[in-house]
Amino acid sequence: MNTRKINILIASLMMTTGVAIAQDNPTEALETTQSKTYTVNTGNEMVKRTVEISTMRNTAVQLNEEDSTKIDQSRVMDSVAKITKTVKIDNDADDAFDEKIVFTYNSDMPEDFVLISNKNELAVAIDEGENLKIVENMSLKSKNDFANKQTYIFTDNNGKEIEFLVEEYTKQSMNMSDSK
């Protein structure tokens, strides 16, 4: 067998193996970025803050086993998605963002909540169109501290608990990184 035929055979095997591996765990990824505002009472006045929210949603897709021989398999259902949100907050009049919060959680439902800062602590806010509304009667419990990353449990109004991990909490104005 000449060298060219061997190279073609090896390339074909590698492509076949790569395609087979890629078909084992189909996933769906969705990335969005949006700008919102929210209002905070600083004690003296109500201050409007601008927020940029980037959301990455990775979902493993379950396919119908009966369609395993078909190229276009039908989807049975979406499974639990891993959601990563990066929230950048501008606390003042300049254009630079002053705080950054990165957190992750798993969910089987699309959740429209974000973490923001409110009086030097983390708060949960919900989407209200172009604005965010801080949830006043929220239940937010700290679970544990894992390698300087804090885990929280948020209980929504329906009693559903969502556990999330704060990967990063950085305040640019103080030039320090906090984990709360």
Side-chain angles (χ1 to χ4, degrees), residues 2 4 13 20 27 50-51 56 66 68 88 106 109 114 126 135-136 156 169:
N2 68 21
R4 182 169 184 209
L13 285 173
T27 59
T50 304
V51 180
M56 173 61 88
E66 295 172 3
S68 64
K88 296 178 184 175
N106 295 324
M109 300 287 290
V114 295
I126 57 171
V135 181
E136 298 293 336
D156 68 11
Y169 179 28

Side-chain angles (χ1 to χ4, degrees), residues 62-77:
Q62 294 179 342
L63 302 174
N64 190 340
E65 297 258 342
E66 295 172 3
D67 294 344
S68 64
T69 59
K70 296 179 182 177
I71 293 175
D72 189 18
Q73 296 178 8
S74 60
R75 184 181 292 195
V76 175
M77 58 185 247

